[in-house]
């Protein structure tokens, strides 16, 4: 996709002497240097030997025209080179950047609909290869979620293909941050969300996932923002979630899980999930043992919390329908 454009047009057909590093000829052919006649003679002879042309005196007007033509050629070649540089390599880079931007624009977060159930079930298996099979949600679970709390369920859709490439699910619950220990099966009522309470003080994020081929495109942040928007619109204290630790599998033999989490928080280590959650404003409020069956993290999870800065205690308990997510 690169386009090669020829350089500038050469204006003077006469052979040119070598320059002395200043960008213009130090002595023109046949021109007598007023202060260095000896050096000029050597240069003139050298010019004659190199070009096999007789040394002919050049009138002042001709010298001026020659210098003018030389500068014109240098300017043309310089401009042509710069034009080539900008318009042969840059378009390719711009095309790639535009394609990436266009791809991001074709990804949208919307509320879950029944037509998404089958693809969401498939996405669970792709995104969670280390989970126990009984920990994965299926189309029946998604139907229950949609019937119970449709405003809290979101999917990321590739508008070009219609494929579901990301998802987020959750429910409203009462939660005691001073007694946080729980399991994924308990908080979700065996994945059914039967315990959803419209008056619950917190939005509990049960699941959030993005297809591996669609990561690093901003979808994770959009899904988290959709959760936060539900909490803000419905005046909840914040968002709570149990976060997996997929990177811990690389450090199991070197440190315990608490040390690993501390190092991730301090920035000494990076975890694919926890680091991203911290960047999205979540805080680690503790560790959950035996949270769910996950061979990568030895069944551990972090207790994550995002506090709603706009929470109004005086309006707590009033139900309000969450707005549809934008983007």
């Amino acid at each position: 996709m690169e386009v090669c454009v020829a350089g500038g047009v050469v204006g003077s057909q006469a052979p040119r002497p070598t320059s002395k590093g200043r960008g213009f000829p130090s002595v023109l052919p046949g021109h007598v240097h007023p202060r260095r006649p000896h050096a000029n003679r050597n240069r003139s002879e050298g010019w004659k030997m190199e070009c096999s042309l007789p040394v002919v005196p050049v009138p002042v007007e001709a010298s001026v025209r020659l210098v003018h033509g030389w500068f014109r050629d240098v300017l043309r070649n310089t401009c042509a080179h710069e034009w080539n540089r900008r318009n042969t390599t840059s378009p390719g880079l711009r095309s790639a950047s535009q394609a990436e931007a266009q791809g991001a624009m074709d990804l949208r977060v919307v509320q879950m609909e029944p037509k998404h159930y089958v693809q969401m079930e498939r996405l669970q298996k792709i995104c969670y290869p280390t989970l126990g099979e009984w920990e994965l949600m299926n189309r029946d679970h998604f139907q229950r979620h949609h019937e119970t709390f449709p405003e809290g369920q979101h999917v990321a859709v590739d508008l070009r293909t219609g494929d579901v490439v990301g998802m987020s699910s959750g429910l409203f619950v009462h939660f005691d941050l001073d007694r946080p220990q729980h399991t994924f099966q308990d908080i979700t009522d065996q994945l059914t969300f039967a315990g959803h309470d419209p008056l619950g003080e917190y939005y509990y994020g049960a699941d959030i996932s993005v297809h591996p081929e669609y990561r690093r495109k901003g979808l994770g942040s959009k899904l988290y923002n959709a959760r936060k928007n539900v909490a803000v619109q419905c005046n909840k204290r914040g968002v709570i979630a149990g976060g997996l630790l997929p990177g811990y599998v690389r450090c199991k033999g070197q440190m315990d899980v608490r040390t690993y989490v501390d190092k991730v928080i301090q920035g000494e280590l990076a975890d694919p999930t926890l680091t991203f959650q911290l960047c999205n404003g979540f805080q680690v409020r503790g560790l959950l043992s035996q949270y769910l069956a996950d061979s990568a993290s030895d069944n551990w999870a972090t207790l994550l919390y995002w506090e709603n800065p706009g929470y109004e205690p005086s309006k707590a308990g009033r139900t309000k329908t969450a707005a549809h997510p934008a983007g």
Side-chain angles (χ1 to χ4, degrees):
M1 304 219 301
E2 296 182 3
V3 180
C4 293
V5 181
V9 179
V10 178
S12 176
Q13 300 301 321
R16 303 188 184 93
T18 57
S19 68
K20 203 173 182 179
R22 298 184 179 89
F24 55 88
S26 56
V27 179
L28 296 173
H31 180 67
V32 178
H33 197 294
R35 297 183 181 179
R36 298 166 56 193
H38 179 73
N40 182 77
R41 184 178 66 253
N42 292 340
R43 289 181 181 275
S44 299
E45 292 174 357
W47 176 267
K48 180 173 62 178
M49 292 174 59
E50 181 182 352
C51 301
S52 301
L53 293 175
V55 179
V56 179
V58 180
V60 175
E61 295 81 0
S63 298
V64 172
R65 286 196 299 271
L66 181 59
V67 172
H68 180 270
W70 189 87
F71 273 109
R72 178 191 61 198
D73 295 343
V74 170
L75 183 61
R76 284 178 176 175
N77 280 278
T78 302
C79 293
H81 172 74
E82 182 66 14
W83 194 95
N84 283 343
R85 186 184 68 81
R86 294 187 179 184
N87 293 277
T88 56
T89 57
S90 295
L93 297 177
R94 285 199 300 269
S95 297
S97 177
Q98 290 172 354
E100 183 177 352
Q102 182 62 40
M105 291 176 60
D106 291 335
L107 303 174
R108 182 168 298 175
V109 174
V110 299
Q111 283 190 8
M112 177 209 300
E113 297 181 29
K115 64 181 180 181
H116 299 137
Y117 297 163
V118 174
Q119 293 190 57
M120 293 171 68
E121 179 178 342
R122 188 181 308 121
L123 186 66
Q124 288 272 294
K125 298 177 181 179
I126 295 174
C127 293
Y128 298 115
T130 62
L131 290 189
E133 186 175 352
W134 60 94
E135 305 281 14
L136 300 177
M137 300 176 183
N138 57 42
R139 66 193 73 181
D140 295 330
H141 295 133
F142 298 134
Q143 181 177 355
R144 292 285 299 273
H145 303 168
H146 186 262
E147 293 172 352
T148 302
F149 181 33
E151 297 86 0
Q153 324 306 320
H154 303 98
V155 293
V157 180
D158 186 338
L159 300 180
R160 297 166 296 184
T161 62
D163 294 338
V164 173
V165 297
M167 60 164 288
S168 170
S169 62
L171 63 158
F172 286 156
V173 299
H174 295 285
F175 195 87
D176 187 354
L177 286 171
D178 295 327
R179 303 176 61 186
Q181 189 61 44
H182 65 281
T183 67
F184 183 64
Q185 292 284 339
D186 288 342
I187 199 75
T188 62
D189 280 275
Q190 285 66 52
L191 313 182
T192 64
F193 293 5
H196 167 71
D197 184 351
L199 301 180
E201 295 179 294
Y202 299 93
Y203 177 95
Y204 190 92
D207 174 69
I208 190 168
S209 53
V210 176
H211 193 287
E213 295 180 3
Y214 286 82
R215 291 170 186 171
R216 299 185 180 276
K217 297 181 182 295
L219 280 183
S221 295
K222 288 184 177 181
L223 289 167
Y224 275 121
N225 287 340
R227 283 183 172 180
K228 295 173 183 178
N229 183 61
V230 173
V232 171
Q233 294 291 327
C234 297
N235 192 42
K236 302 303 179 183
R237 289 183 179 272
V239 178
I240 294 175
L244 299 181
L245 297 165
Y248 181 57
V249 68
R250 304 189 304 266
C251 305
K252 283 183 181 180
Q254 306 171 30
M255 63 190 75
D256 59 27
V257 67
R258 297 182 184 276
T259 303
Y260 174 78
V261 171
D262 287 340
K263 287 183 176 293
V264 174
I265 294 174
Q266 296 299 324
E268 299 176 23
L269 294 174
D271 182 88
T273 297
L274 178 55
T275 300
F276 182 71
Q277 291 163 335
L278 294 173
C279 291
N280 276 271
F282 284 83
Q283 303 172 0
V284 176
R285 297 293 296 265
L287 289 174
L288 304 172
S289 62
Q290 301 303 316
Y291 178 69
L292 80 177
D294 177 26
S295 59
S297 59
D298 284 348
N299 304 341
W300 285 94
T302 55
L303 176 64
L304 299 164
Y305 178 50
W306 175 82
E307 185 176 3
N308 175 14
Y311 173 68
E312 300 182 56
S314 61
K315 298 180 180 179
R318 302 179 187 178
T319 58
K320 182 179 179 180
T321 302
H324 289 263

